């Protein structure tokens, strides 16, 4: 790379401007930039030269090429620089003592290492910049070059580099820099250019390639090499979705955002802050091992001037980001790497090893470690890896594109370690029980020796033995050390390691059957110690996020240790509290598969598991699976009756869960009966004001509301609210939930202004206590919008708010979650009411189809939604199609809910209108009369639905030319609308204009 820098404006006042060729290895790119900029600020010209000449080119010739430019050559040297090629010490000593000494006036150097350099480098008179501050480094640089300080203003580029010794203000979890990193300069340079040249807000590049090809190493080197260009650098490990969410969300604290909310809220807050370039536009995000492009919108800031790097094996990123395909090393990179780590081998021998392992970086690292550590000759090494058969290994142990000799190489290493360093093998066996990726290995040293198996007690007792064993594994490239202390423990950061998935797969296979039970039990003990015991505390979620990948890998669900079982339950509680419902449901299913083999069906652990699993399944919309679990549990408990309080509590818990399932499945009467039993049992066991009793009472009100018993629900919710304010205080999330419920009841009762006033207060409290993105806050905002719509808030305010809320729902849940589907329906109803029929039809059809898929056709929600579809058809002039939809909805709801349910009455109101428009006047008249009578009895004479039924029936009377009756009924309805809602309310105005009223269905699952 050659980059000619623009000359500083005006030259050096009072002195001659000089030209310098600043020569640096790609590894020290940041230093090259800083030195050039400093020289330019004093009025001098510079040319940047990244230097890594081919090994075949003589050093004298390569150095001579640098002198083709005018001016002096400034070499940025270190042990990395002197290994380029690689070159031998003899090569460098010869050229330094000869060619460089002859042209000493044309050369100068700065030294960036505290390691001892070759004695012959003295001819360059290198000035040491290692470990000094920026001002002192600049002073030393100018002094070495014999330059007078002459500060000249130099225009700063858009991404001005910082002094390389000054780290970014925020530096998160980036792996340690690999001092042995080799080559890839072309890739790194191209990568930086792509990111810099990308359009604003589109600087995202994915490094895609097979496992072990070096994607992570390239990303880590990019972060270190270009760190001076950024103020925020944040590394996100994507091996597990929950780890990805938690790590990304933890950036909130670093950039000064509120970190008290749940993890999803922090993720969204971070994404939005970076999009706004807060606290800086110079940010770099690196997502390592991200295989799911469909989640891109959750994390990638849609804007901002920062950069994003993704490493992945999934080529599907091509449709969303710029792709950089990563392949194996170029042969020169392979041979250079091997010769640096094993200096005794020749170029030809390095070429043979590289060819054997197809230039794959991961395998070359292991081969180079073996050759370098053992000093083995290449012919012997190749003979061994080619000649030993490993027929017992499964064919899928290594990736398909890996040479089979790789297995032999690893087997040789393991056999060697068993003889020379058995403790290293014990550490390796322990690592193989964990999941690949980050391993909190140091936690083992925190377990008292007495609690470890006798053969492993040296973990705690022999620190020097531990260090030697770990160093050996790192030197052989089996493990790499992590850059930080893992969240799950307080061990020394050097004891947190990383094992590549391919290496893990091979090692696990090669160590199989060697006292695995001992290592598994040790890892289980370690995980128990790591459990904070507070899964609902968001401050501890980082610890749980790191524990989760190791639970299944270590076989923890098969453990019969009660402490391990409680740790697993806490991990499930974390999944529920943090919103990791999918991962939690999968983990719960795995745990159940083991526990049912050795635990009694009514064991406390299995009962607790069922409660947690049902909660997770319900949150994912898997209602029937939850119901099957809860039903079976309750039946088993009833089959083994006991007279103790613990048994009664278990029955109550199971009954409560089953009632929740039945409510969601539309079996409202049966659910209410069960919930009443729960309330009675809870009050008997705990008293009426205890937390569990109030939760049971809250759920009872949900059941009443689903049955259309709005006044009963309101009285129950109001009592719950008052008690929760006393027991839990006004700002507790459960108290806020009761406030939401009361406002919903008031709205359904037709008391729109009261509902709006209460919900506005509740909304403010939700924002203060839970934050804007918490699921309960989104539910409160949804309820507020419905209150505003019914109370008559201006149309445009509601339209904008609904569109924004829909976007937030998709981010928090997803497009098919039942909460999102409810909002889609209400938004579609609003759009239809205000004339956007095309989008209304699209949203309502999507929601109805999704609800039917989720709940089945014989459920009140998809059945009632046919009435919404009919209203769209009617607005489009399709009267026959509309009437068909109305009739189907009415017949279905009458069967499912009964003729007196408010939802059935609403469908009847629409159906009477459809009949009237289709000229079935007598049928319309009979239905509107019956609906009016039922609505008066069920909802009261002044409820808005009753008054709408009055207006509709008056219209049917007028159609039958019974004008006097129509006029009297219409007048009564108008007076009641005016008195209850006001003269300017939309319902009042519509009644005055004799507009046929309708009812749109708001889906609610409870």
């Amino acid at each position: 790379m050659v980059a000619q820098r623009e000359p500083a404006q005006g030259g050096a006042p009072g002195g001659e401007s000089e030209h310098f060729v600043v020569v640096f290895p790609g590894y020290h790119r940041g230093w090259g930039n800083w030195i050039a900029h400093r020289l330019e600020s004093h009025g001098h010209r510079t040319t940047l030269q990244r230097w890594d000449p081919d090994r075949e080119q003589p050093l004298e010739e390569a150095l001579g090429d640098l002198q083709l430019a005018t001016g002096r050559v400034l070499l940025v040297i270190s042990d990395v620089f002197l290994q380029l090629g690689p070159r031998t010490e003899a090569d460098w000593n010869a050229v330094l003592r000869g060619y460089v000494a002859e042209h000493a006036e044309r050369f100068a150097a700065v030294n960036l290492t505290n390691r001892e350099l070759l004695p012959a480098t003295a001819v360059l008179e290198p000035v040491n910049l290692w470990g000094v501050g920026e001002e002192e480094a600049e002073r030393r640089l100018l002094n070495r070059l014999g330059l007078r300080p002459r500060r000249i203003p130099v225009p700063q580029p858009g991404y001005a580099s910082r002094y390389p010794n000054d780290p970014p203000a925020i530096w998160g979890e980036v792996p340690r820099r690999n001092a042995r990193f080799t080559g890839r300069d072309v890739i790194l340079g191209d990568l930086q250019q792509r990111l810099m040249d990308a359009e604003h807000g589109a600087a995202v590049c994915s490094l895609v390639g097979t496992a072990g090809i070096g994607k992570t190493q390239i990303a880590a080197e990019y972060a270190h090499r270009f760190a001076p260009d950024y103020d925020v650098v944040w590394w996100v490990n994507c091996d597990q979705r929950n780890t990805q969410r938690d790590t990304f969300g933890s950036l909130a604290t670093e950039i000064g955002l509120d970190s008290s909310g749940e993890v999803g809220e922090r993720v969204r807050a971070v994404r939005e802050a970076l999009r706004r370039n807060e606290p800086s536009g110079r940010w770099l995000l690196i997502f390592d091992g991200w295989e799911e492009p469909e989640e891109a919108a959750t994390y990638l800031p849609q804007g901002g001037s920062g950069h994003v790097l993704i490493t992945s094996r999934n080529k599907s990123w091509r449709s969303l980001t710029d792709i950089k395909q990563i392949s194996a090393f170029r042969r020169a990179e392979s041979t250079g790497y091997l010769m640096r780590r094993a200096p005794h081998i020749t170029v030809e021998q390095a070429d043979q090893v590289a060819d054997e392992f197809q230039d794959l970086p991961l395998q070359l690292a292991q081969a180079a470690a073996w050759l370098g550590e053992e000093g083995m000759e290449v012919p012997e090494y190749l003979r061994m890896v080619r000649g030993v058969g490993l027929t017992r290994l499964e064919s899928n142990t290594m990736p398909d594109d890996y040479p089979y000799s790789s297995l032999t190489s690893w087997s040789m290493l393991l056999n060697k370690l068993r003889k020379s360093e058995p403790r290293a093998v014990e550490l390796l066996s322990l690592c193989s029980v964990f999941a690949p990726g980050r391993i909190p290995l140091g936690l083992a040293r925190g377990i008292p020796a007495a609690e470890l198996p006798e053969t492993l007690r040296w973990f705690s007792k022999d620190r020097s033995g531990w260090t030697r064993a770990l160093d050996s594994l790192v030197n052989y490239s089996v493990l790499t050390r992590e850059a930080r202390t893992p969240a799950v423990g307080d061990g020394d950061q050097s004891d947190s390691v990383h094992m590549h998935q391919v290496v893990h797969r091979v090692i696990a296979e090669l160590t199989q059957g060697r006292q695995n039970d001992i290592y598994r039990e040790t890892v289980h003990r370690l995980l128990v110690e790591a459990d904070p015991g507070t899964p609902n505390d968001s401050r501890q979620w980082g610890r749980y996020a790191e524990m989760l990948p190791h639970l299944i890998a270590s076989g923890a669900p098969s453990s019969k240790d009660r402490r391990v079982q409680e740790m697993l339950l806490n991990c499930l509680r974390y999944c529920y509290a943090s919103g990791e419902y999918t991962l939690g449901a999968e983990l719960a299913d795995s745990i159940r598969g083991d526990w049912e083999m050795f635990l009694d069906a009514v064991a406390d652990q299995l009962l607790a598991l069922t409660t947690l699993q049902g909660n997770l399944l319900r949150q994912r919309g898997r209602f029937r699976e939850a119901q099957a679990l809860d039903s079976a549990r309750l039946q088993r408990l009833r089959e083994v009756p006991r007279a103790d309080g613990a048994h009664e509590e278990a029955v109550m818990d199971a009954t409560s869960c089953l009632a929740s399932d039945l409510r969601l499945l539309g079996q409202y009467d049966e659910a209410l009966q069960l919930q009443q039993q729960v309330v009675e049992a809870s009050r008997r066991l705990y008293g009426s004001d205890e937390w569990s009793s109030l939760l049971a009472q809250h759920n009872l009100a949900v059941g009443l509301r689903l049955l259309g018993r709005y006044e009963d629900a309101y009285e129950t919710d109001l009592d719950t609210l008052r008690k929760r304010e006393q027991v839990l205080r006004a700002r507790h999330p459960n108290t806020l939930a009761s406030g939401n419920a009361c406002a919903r009841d008031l709205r359904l009762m037709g008391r729109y202004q009261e509902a709006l006033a209460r919900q506005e207060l509740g909304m403010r409290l939700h924002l203060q206590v839970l934050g804007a993105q918490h699921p309960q806050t989104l539910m409160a905002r949804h309820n507020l919008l419905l209150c505003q719509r019914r109370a008559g808030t201006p149309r445009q305010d509601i339209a904008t708010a609904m569109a924004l809320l829909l976007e937030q729902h998709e981010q928090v849940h997803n497009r098919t979650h039942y909460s999102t589907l409810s909002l889609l329906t209400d938004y579609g109803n609003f759009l239809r009411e205000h004339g956007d029929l095309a989008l209304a039809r699209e949203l309502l059809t999507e929601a109805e189809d999704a609800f039917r898929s989720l709940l089945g056709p014989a459920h009140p929600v998809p059945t009632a939604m046919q009435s919404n579809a009919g209203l769209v058809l009617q607005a489009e002039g399709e009267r026959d199609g509309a009437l068909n939809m109305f009739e189907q909805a009415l017949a279905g709801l009458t069967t499912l809910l009964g003729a007196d349910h408010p939802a059935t009455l609403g469908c009847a109101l629409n159906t009477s209108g459809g009949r009237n428009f289709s000229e079935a006047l007598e049928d319309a008249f009979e239905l509107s009369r019956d609906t009016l009578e039922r609505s008066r009895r069920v909802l009261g004479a002044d409820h808005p639905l009753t008054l709408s039924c009055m207006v509709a029936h008056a219209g049917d009377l007028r159609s039958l030319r019974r004008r006097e009756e129509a006029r009297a009924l219409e007048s009564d309805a108008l007076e009641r609308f005016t008195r209850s809602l006001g003269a300017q309310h939309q319902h009042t105005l519509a009644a005055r204009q004799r507009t046929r009223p309708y009812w749109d269905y708001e889906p609610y699952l409870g």
Side-chain angles (χ1 to χ4, degrees):
M1 178 200 77
V2 179
Q4 176 71 47
R5 311 267 299 203
E6 291 295 324
Q9 298 296 318
E16 291 295 326
S17 172
E18 292 193 44
H19 177 246
F20 295 92
V21 179
V22 181
V23 180
F24 62 93
Y27 193 85
H28 291 313
R29 172 259 182 196
W31 280 103
N33 271 1
W34 179 82
I35 289 170
H37 191 269
R38 291 299 86 205
L39 292 174
E40 289 174 6
S41 72
H42 292 279
H44 304 284
R45 295 180 300 112
T46 64
T47 297
L48 280 171
Q49 175 72 57
R50 190 187 72 221
W51 197 64
D52 187 5
D54 291 338
R55 185 176 52 251
E56 291 75 17
Q57 184 182 22
L59 266 178
E60 181 174 321
E61 180 181 312
L63 289 169
D65 288 345
L66 295 176
Q67 295 194 72
L68 295 177
T70 60
R72 281 188 283 173
V73 176
L74 178 62
L75 303 178
V76 180
I77 65 172
S78 66
D79 44 347
V80 174
F81 185 91
L82 297 176
Q83 290 175 1
L84 293 175
R87 308 286 179 167
T88 65
E89 290 187 9
D91 290 339
W92 272 109
N93 281 330
V95 77
L96 288 169
R97 291 166 181 160
Y99 182 82
V100 174
E102 293 172 9
H103 301 85
E105 75 285 351
R106 294 287 311 278
F107 288 97
V110 298
N111 175 26
L112 301 180
T113 182
N114 63 339
R115 296 185 181 89
E116 186 175 349
L117 297 176
L118 294 177
T121 56
V123 68
L124 295 168
E125 300 180 15
V127 60
N128 191 2
L129 302 187
W130 183 85
V132 299
E134 184 171 16
E135 289 187 10
E136 175 62 15
E138 183 174 354
R139 188 192 67 77
R140 292 185 183 186
L141 172 67
L142 296 178
N143 186 57
R144 168 63 185 87
L145 298 175
L147 303 176
R148 295 171 54 193
R150 295 246 194 272
R151 186 71 67 187
I152 303 296
V154 178
Q156 290 278 352
Y159 255 61
S161 291
R162 217 177 19 258
Y163 179 55
N165 276 351
D166 293 341
I170 297 172
W171 179 262
E173 303 190 22
V174 180
R176 292 181 179 184
R177 193 170 195 182
N178 182 1
R180 294 166 173 160
F181 186 86
T182 292
R184 307 293 201 181
D185 279 347
V186 174
I187 291 176
L188 288 163
D190 178 58
L191 191 57
Q192 191 222 14
Q193 199 63 49
R194 290 190 188 201
L195 292 173
M196 295 294 291
D197 291 347
E199 295 179 5
H200 181 72
V204 185
C205 190
S206 298
L207 307 179
V208 176
T210 59
I213 206 70
K215 304 181 296 294
T216 297
Q217 288 293 323
I218 292 171
E221 175 61 21
Y222 183 92
H224 287 282
R225 184 172 296 193
F226 297 97
D229 292 348
Y230 299 99
D231 299 321
V232 176
V233 179
W234 200 254
W235 185 281
V236 181
N237 187 319
C238 304
D239 288 343
Q240 293 284 334
R241 181 175 178 271
N242 65 309
T243 305
Q244 178 177 349
R245 277 163 43 95
D246 190 80
T247 304
F248 185 79
S250 64
L251 180 54
T253 301
E254 302 296 326
I255 61 178
L257 301 176
D258 179 18
S259 59
S260 61
E262 52 91 32
V263 65
E265 180 183 343
R266 295 199 297 272
V267 166
R268 289 180 289 280
V270 168
R271 186 189 65 236
E272 288 306 300
L274 296 179
R275 184 183 63 79
R276 298 189 301 268
N277 290 325
E278 297 174 357
S280 165
R282 292 159 45 102
W283 50 261
L284 171 65
L285 297 176
I286 300 175
F287 295 91
D288 184 34
W290 193 1
E291 307 299 344
E292 300 172 348
E294 59 270 18
E295 294 191 348
T298 303
Y299 298 96
L300 300 184
Q302 299 301 310
S305 56
H307 299 162
V308 179
L309 269 184
I310 297 168
T311 73
S312 181
R313 289 170 294 171
N314 190 342
K315 295 182 180 179
S316 298
W317 283 105
R318 186 182 307 278
S319 62
L320 298 172
T321 71
D322 188 15
I323 286 285
K324 181 71 176 175
Q325 186 71 40
I326 305 300
S327 55
F329 274 150
R330 292 182 292 111
R331 182 53 55 89
E333 293 174 327
S334 298
T335 55
Y337 176 72
L338 288 167
M339 293 173 68
R340 272 190 286 278
R341 294 199 61 183
H344 66 285
I345 70 176
T346 66
V347 174
E348 293 75 15
Q349 290 172 333
D351 187 77
Q352 291 173 358
V353 175
D355 187 64
E356 181 69 31
F357 295 115
Q358 300 173 17
D359 297 294
L360 292 168
L362 179 65
Q363 190 53 46
L364 288 175
Q366 198 273 325
W370 180 273
L371 292 167
E373 291 292 320
E374 295 300 307
M376 182 180 287
E377 294 300 330
V378 167
E380 181 185 1
Y381 176 70
L382 291 177
R383 178 182 59 79
M384 292 179 68
V385 298
R386 291 168 178 167
V388 179
L390 295 172
T391 56
R392 76 177 189 85
L393 292 179
E394 297 179 2
S395 61
N396 62 352
T397 297
M398 295 290 282
D400 293 339
D401 48 2
Y402 269 64
Y404 193 70
S405 52
S406 298
L407 286 171
T408 314
S409 180
W410 287 106
S411 180
M412 287 166 48
L413 173 61
L414 221 48
N415 288 333
K416 184 265 177 190
L417 290 175
R418 286 189 182 111
K419 295 176 182 178
S420 62
E421 299 183 64
R423 287 186 168 179
V425 178
E426 289 179 342
L427 271 188
L428 201 53
S429 298
L430 187 69
C431 288
S432 71
V433 178
F434 288 93
R438 176 175 292 150
I439 298 175
L441 188 59
L443 288 176
R445 289 187 47 75
I447 302 176
E451 298 182 25
L452 287 168
E454 185 174 353
T455 57
L456 301 181
R457 288 179 182 172
W458 66 271
F459 285 177
S460 292
K461 292 181 176 180
D462 188 357
R463 179 62 185 178
S464 61
W466 172 279
T467 302
R468 285 194 302 274
L470 191 55
D471 285 347
S472 181
L473 294 175
V474 171
N475 289 338
Y476 278 107
S477 298
V478 183
L479 304 175
T480 56
R481 284 192 170 93
E482 285 288 304
R484 65 161 185 114
T485 305
V488 295
D490 300 317
D492 188 312
Q493 71 174 22
S494 65
D495 295 343
S496 176
V497 299
H498 189 280
M499 180 181 275
H500 193 280
Q501 56 182 318
V502 174
V503 177
H504 182 276
R505 198 184 307 173
V506 174
I507 295 300
E509 177 70 21
L510 293 174
T511 59
Q512 189 176 22
R514 295 179 179 272
Q515 297 180 301
N516 270 3
D517 288 344
I518 291 177
Y519 297 110
R520 273 198 298 269
E521 290 169 8
T522 302
V523 172
H524 298 165
R525 179 75 177 85
L526 180 153
L527 292 170
V528 168
E529 288 298 312
D531 179 8
T534 52
N536 293 319
D537 184 351
S538 61
R539 294 170 298 182
Q540 303 295 347
W541 288 352
R543 293 192 173 204
Y544 284 108
E546 286 205 341
M547 290 170 62
L548 247 60
H550 305 295
L551 301 179
I552 302 301
S554 68
S558 65
S559 173
K560 298 180 180 179
D561 187 325
R562 186 64 181 264
R563 296 172 302 175
V564 176
Q565 293 165 2
E566 185 59 30
M567 177 270 295
L568 289 169
L569 292 173
N570 276 341
C571 288
L572 289 177
R573 293 179 182 112
Y574 149 74
C575 289
Y576 183 76
S578 65
E580 290 290 349
Y581 305 130
T582 301
L583 190 61
E586 292 171 356
L587 175 60
D589 194 52
S590 280
I591 295 171
R592 176 172 296 280
D594 282 300
W595 284 10
E596 286 184 339
M597 296 177 64
F598 60 82
L599 285 176
D600 187 87
V602 292
D604 291 343
Q605 305 96 304
L606 205 49
L607 294 175
L609 171 64
T610 303
T611 297
L612 290 165
Q613 190 173 8
N615 289 340
L616 290 161
L617 289 171
R618 278 190 291 277
Q619 287 297 329
R620 294 306 305 148
R622 294 162 62 181
F623 306 138
R624 297 192 185 281
E625 293 174 67
Q627 189 248 352
L629 274 178
D630 294 326
S631 234
R633 169 175 53 159
L634 186 57
Q635 182 177 347
R636 286 194 295 267
L637 286 167
R638 287 171 173 168
E639 289 171 352
V640 286
R642 296 203 307 262
D644 59 79
H647 184 74
E648 189 172 5
E649 287 182 10
V651 171
M652 183 187 70
D653 187 41
T655 305
S656 177
C657 290
L658 182 57
S660 296
D661 300 327
L662 294 177
R663 282 195 297 271
L664 291 163
L665 291 170
Q667 301 175 41
Y668 301 146
D669 288 311
E670 187 179 351
L672 185 65
Q673 292 173 13
L674 291 178
Q675 192 62 41
Q676 286 170 335
Q677 296 174 21
V678 174
V679 171
E680 292 169 5
S682 183
R683 288 173 177 171
R684 183 174 63 255
L685 289 170
Y686 311 125
S688 61
D689 292 349
E690 194 269 343
W691 182 89
S692 299
S693 299
L694 293 177
L695 178 60
Q697 185 170 300
H698 175 84
N699 289 334
L700 178 65
V702 174
L704 292 168
R705 189 180 306 119
L706 287 167
L707 283 168
R709 295 168 57 180
Y710 302 143
E711 292 192 8
D712 292 341
Y714 178 62
E715 290 176 5
T716 305
D717 279 324
L718 192 59
D719 181 63
T720 306
L721 175 62
R722 289 167 177 164
K723 289 177 178 176
R724 280 178 165 175
E725 285 177 340
Q726 295 173 357
V727 175
L728 303 176
R729 303 304 180 209
R731 295 168 65 87
H732 191 280
N734 285 8
T735 308
L736 299 182
S738 286
N740 275 345
C742 286
R744 183 183 291 274
D745 296 332
L746 287 167
R747 176 171 55 79
L748 294 172
M749 291 162 63
R751 294 159 63 175
Y752 298 149
Q753 289 298 335
E754 291 179 69
L756 178 58
R758 180 176 287 280
Q759 193 61 29
E760 285 176 335
L761 172 61
M763 190 69 230
R764 289 195 294 272
L765 290 173
H766 273 82
L767 291 171
Q768 293 169 10
V769 175
L770 297 175
Q773 304 295 332
H774 192 280
Q776 187 171 312
T777 305
L778 298 184
M779 185 189 302
R781 191 178 295 282
H782 186 176
N783 196 26
L784 176 62
L785 289 173
L786 294 177
C787 290
Q788 290 173 335
R789 182 186 175 200
R790 299 306 178 194
T793 298
R795 165 191 171 185
Q796 192 54 47
D797 293 348
I798 296 177
T800 302
M802 277 192 165
L804 176 60
L805 184 59
L806 178 57
E807 180 183 331
Q808 292 172 323
H809 262 272
E810 290 186 64
Q811 294 166 358
V812 174
H813 303 294
N814 55 48
R815 186 80 173 186
T816 59
H817 191 271
Y818 58 88
S819 295
T820 310
L821 298 178
S822 294
L823 180 59
L824 277 173
T825 304
D826 293 329
Y827 190 22
N829 287 334
F830 175 84
L831 292 170
R832 184 215 71 241
E833 182 179 48
H834 294 284
D836 191 345
L837 299 182
L839 183 54
R841 174 196 281 271
E842 181 182 326
L843 296 181
L844 290 170
T845 301
E846 177 186 353
E848 182 182 345
D849 290 345
F851 268 130
R852 184 168 287 108
S853 175
L854 178 67
L855 304 170
H859 189 286
V861 169
T863 301
M865 287 191 65
Q866 294 176 100
S867 190
N868 291 337
L871 289 173
V872 175
L873 289 171
Q874 187 168 270
E876 292 174 335
E878 304 236 1
R879 294 184 176 183
D880 291 342
L883 180 57
N884 184 48
M885 290 287 101
F886 295 147
E887 296 284 7
Q888 288 186 47
L890 178 59
L893 286 183
T894 302
T895 301
L896 293 169
L897 300 178
D900 288 343
H901 193 283
T904 309
L905 297 175
C907 278
L909 173 65
N910 292 342
T911 306
S912 70
R915 292 177 180 179
N916 183 286
F917 293 147
S918 297
E919 302 298 328
L921 303 182
E922 287 289 348
D923 290 343
F925 167 77
E926 291 296 335
L927 181 56
S928 64
R929 181 180 63 183
D930 178 68
T931 306
L932 174 57
E933 291 172 358
R934 292 177 185 277
S935 187
R936 279 174 174 160
R937 184 173 66 252
V938 173
L939 297 172
D942 288 331
H943 191 280
L945 181 55
T946 303
L947 300 182
S948 293
C949 289
M950 291 174 70
V951 174
H953 189 51
D956 291 332
L957 286 168
R958 184 171 287 103
S959 296
L960 295 174
R961 304 183 187 282
R962 296 164 62 172
R963 294 185 176 85
E964 289 301 321
E965 294 174 76
R967 188 178 299 110
L969 189 59
E970 201 171 62
S971 178
D972 186 19
L974 188 56
E975 181 183 344
R976 291 175 183 272
F977 265 136
T978 303
R979 184 170 63 245
S980 60
L981 300 181
Q984 298 304 310
H985 191 277
Q986 57 211 30
H987 289 345
T988 309
L989 296 174
R992 184 173 293 119
Q993 295 165 3
R994 294 179 177 172
T995 302
R996 182 86 187 199
Y998 57 85
W999 169 85
D1000 50 32
Y1001 174 66
E1002 301 170 0
Y1004 173 67
L1005 293 183

